[in-house]
Amino acid sequence: MTKWVYGFGDGKAEGEQSMKNLLGGKGANLAEMSNLGLPVPPGFTVTTEVCTYYYANDRSYPPELKSQVEAALAEIGRITGKAFGDAQNPLLVSVRSGARASMPGMMDTVLNLGLNDTTVAAVAAASNNERFAWDSYRRFITMFSDVVLGVDHGHFEEILDTYKERKGYVLDTDLQAADWKTLVGQYKALVLEELGKPFPEDPHEQLWGAVGAVFASWMNARAITYRSLHAIPAEWGTAVNVQAMVFGNRGDTSATGVAFTRNPSTGEHALYGEFLINAQGEDVVAGIRTPQPISKAAALAGASNKPSMEEAMPAAFAEFVGITKVLEKHYRDMQDIEFTVEDNKLWMLQTRSGKRTAKASLRIAVEMAREGLITQEEAVGRIDPGALDQLLHPTIDPKAERIEIARGLPASPGAASGEIVFTSDEAEAGKAAGKTVILVRQETSPEDIKGMLAASGILTRLGGMTSHAAVVARGWGKPCVSGAGSIRVDIAAGTLVAGGKTYKKGDVITIDGSTGQVLAGKIAMVQPELSGEFAELMTWADGVRRMKVRTNAETPADARQARSFGAEGIGLCRTEHMFFDEGRIVAMREMILSDDEKGRRAALAKLLPMQREDFRQLFEIMSGLPVTIRLLDPPLHEFLPHSEDEVAEVAAAMGASAAKLRARAQELHEFNPMLGFRGCRLAIAFPEIAEMQARAIFEAAVEAAASTGQPVTPEIMVPLVATRAELDLVKARIDAMAQAVEKEKGVKLVYQVGTMIELPRAAIRAGEIAESAEFFSFGTNDLTQTTIGISRDDAASFLGTYVQKGIFAIDPFVSIDQEGVGALVEIGVERGRKQRANLKLGICGEHGGDPASIAFCERTGLDYVSCSPFRVPIARLAAAQAALEAKK
């Protein structure tokens, strides 16, 4: 018989840490903590395989499940001395989701399950605390009605707010037992009115309703969005964890909290967290009340006027600190822990590897390696390369004037300026319109996830450092200020009141997630510097990395930026990008629109010194590192004059009539420019273009070698080659120009000529092309277009649908299509190196900065990847991880 349920508690468990795929992350860790002998409320896990069965069998359960659940409930009762559904001594449980990958706040939870009009009296009598019992009951009705019955949570909040206003109450803690009794009656009346049937009293009906709701929440909109963003497969499913309730809302000797064993924002090796006395877990993360700090040190640093857990509950705090050390040493990683104190007794509800910022991730990995907890190679493998983006964005210029209008908690580091928006829809619309926006909310909830993604920063009035907004923002590297209690947010009116001034939608503010400041207007930013732990980790990464990492750059600024990030040369200099400058485009248009060689050579003579100076600067900045220069490859439509003023300007420069130029432009018009007169086709039809560029490259190489004292070996790349014959024709012109410059300058030039493999035919005929080419660079942007038959400029309208429907696992322009485009790359590598064993191989499309594509390049045997400057650190780390993976 298939085992669908795994129990835990009382110092033992049927599962353990390695069973995450079956038990989910939460279930596996609850089992592991039980096996470690830690104080874990007993419970059981319904496996992820039940979720798979549930969706494969029309949302039904395996026939053996009910009996296994009943047996597990009986075991919890044996351990606790209570019975589920018993009128005198009832066992109450929580029902929580638990996927194998952490998805905070995305799926549903129900607490206090098992309460009804009978058991609430038993709980009140057993606890000698009637207020606690009825508070728990109203929480259960609210949560169960929202999650299981589909009665919106907001209806209950409206009833509560109205009641508190009528009674003159401010906080929920002001309400007494009689108040909660009254509200429970109103809540149940609401359910009856909304559904036409009463709130369920049978605990077993409640339990199966909650289990079904958790499985159903695996396919809710916010969970689907989160999985899509984090590449979590839908077929993984979720487990369900049913656990004996422990109560943090039993009075002043009870509390609940969330803590990290190290600071998830900075990585500091210090306990970091929050707790609330007389509360349940939802109160901490939902921002309903502003939490208190865990430690005295945190209270002092935050200037909190409320006692820390260390001060209010010293014995429980001391035990908790000891357990955090055990867990971090056992899991060998920073832990995110949920706990409850019930009548001064500490209970551990969850542990998992904590989400953290890139800055914290680096510091934690490096310090753990220094401490001997993990190896240097493990430290390299711990960092998500994509997360380094968080370190590569602007922060507020320390010299800039700051007009502070409010201050909250520094929930997620970094800074952002933008127009105020108040809803997720407004945030998405603003981003779609090309605006930078700051999402301002009372507090965020999982329903806000799309707006949070669209926003550049998030500001909330409520919530703490572990609130939904804070956790999600840190995971995405977005700046966030939470708990800015002095501001007033009116969503309906579209206003933010801060610092005595009213701000409306569209007004610009700046938030600093590192300090918690909210500032008026747009503030100057500065670029980050990568040093300290980053430099140390990168040194370890470079020590295991096989592939080189170059950059795509054609301006001195980009080249310098890339060098500062550790680029080992230029893998793609797109020479056509050098001519969009206002001072150059006229000469470029003259060259394109000339209808004879004489006119083209006259225009090229103007461009030659510009190109030579461009190349000289790049060679000098790279100081002996390789520089690959792609010959002119412009889709001509990008350079043709369009307006009458532009036509007139070029006509004046050429001494020709505007009418003649318009006619010439019409001759050059193409229906499909990306597959038209570009690349090597230009150099073959007009060899003088390749000659000018080759001369500029060689003369610049001579000058740069003299100025730097470093040898310069240009790599000249011929684009869009489909045949060896094309390459040979262009290469002959390049070689001839090299000989001419050698003779004129009295030097011996060292250079290489290669090609960009960006057409399927070139990959298939790579062996033949390698007879002439000294290197290949795979241009996977165009290779993807020409292989799949998709224009990347027009694909946005349907590629998202393709990904959603599983046709593509991911956008093939973001991560290389390994089965299709990748197969052509593999063919090109194999056939090219068979012909020329020392053939240098690289990739220079946008895929050169994508970690999954870099791993493919490592497996395929490429020598280097090339990417945009700000992706260089990501590529260095990803290449190191790929090399480590290849060694396994």
Side-chain angles (χ1 to χ4, degrees), residues 115-382:
L115 279 171
N116 56 30
D117 290 349
T118 301
T119 56
V120 69
V123 170
S127 65
N128 196 28
N129 189 335
E130 193 176 24
R131 183 198 180 281
F132 147 70
W134 286 93
D135 176 36
S136 299
Y137 193 14
R138 66 94 186 180
R139 291 171 183 268
F140 170 57
I141 292 172
T142 301
M143 201 175 293
F144 189 91
S145 298
D146 182 39
V147 169
V148 181
L149 304 180
V151 180
D152 187 79
H153 178 268
H155 294 322
F156 298 97
E157 287 299 308
E158 287 177 18
I159 291 173
L160 176 59
D161 288 344
T162 301
Y163 186 88
K164 284 163 64 176
E165 186 176 345
R166 181 163 56 84
K167 289 282 191 175
Y169 296 146
V170 176
L171 301 174
D172 290 0
T173 48
D174 295 336
L175 279 72
Q176 299 306 308
D179 298 307
W180 290 129
K181 281 183 184 180
T182 300
L183 284 164
V184 163
Q186 293 182 23
Y187 285 2
K188 292 175 74 174
L190 171 67
V191 172
L192 181 60
E193 180 184 344
E194 289 286 321
L195 302 180
K197 59 183 180 180
F199 186 85
E201 292 275 319
D202 179 5
H204 290 277
E205 181 186 347
Q206 294 172 359
L207 176 63
W208 288 104
V211 169
V214 170
F215 283 140
S217 71
W218 179 249
M219 288 298 178
N220 70 29
R222 63 180 186 264
I224 291 170
T225 298
Y226 189 93
R227 287 201 300 273
S228 174
L229 293 171
H230 295 272
I232 298 172
E235 58 267 24
W236 280 5
T238 183
V240 177
N241 297 287
V242 179
Q243 196 171 11
M245 279 297 303
V246 289
F247 298 94
N249 61 326
R250 285 188 66 158
D252 290 343
T253 59
S254 301
T256 190
V258 177
F260 296 82
T261 56
R262 304 190 188 213
N263 189 309
S265 289
T266 68
E268 179 188 3
H269 193 173
L271 196 59
Y272 174 100
E274 300 168 321
F275 85 117
L276 276 172
I277 292 174
N278 196 15
Q280 288 198 319
E282 64 190 85
D283 299 333
V284 179
V285 298
I288 294 168
R289 289 163 54 191
T290 299
Q292 299 160 235
I294 286 277
S295 65
K296 284 193 288 188
L300 288 171
S304 174
N305 59 359
K306 295 183 178 181
S308 66
M309 181 181 174
E310 185 175 2
E311 296 163 302
M313 297 179 166
F317 176 79
E319 183 184 4
F320 179 70
V321 169
I323 289 174
T324 64
K325 292 177 180 177
V326 168
L327 288 172
E328 184 172 278
K329 185 175 181 180
H330 180 75
Y331 284 98
R332 301 169 67 245
D333 196 8
M334 182 264 275
Q335 294 297 290
D336 172 1
I337 299 166
E338 295 179 15
F339 65 93
T340 284
V341 178
E342 181 183 77
D343 288 337
N344 290 317
K345 165 66 176 170
L346 176 67
W347 293 98
M348 306 303 293
L349 303 184
Q350 175 171 283
T351 191
R352 60 189 174 193
S353 291
K355 293 187 180 296
R356 64 207 77 176
T357 64
K359 179 180 179 181
S361 188
L362 280 168
R363 180 172 175 180
I364 290 168
V366 169
E367 290 188 353
M368 283 187 169
R370 291 174 187 160
E371 294 162 15
L373 197 59
I374 61 176
T375 66
Q376 291 182 1
E377 288 190 353
E378 283 178 306
V380 169
R382 287 274 177 97

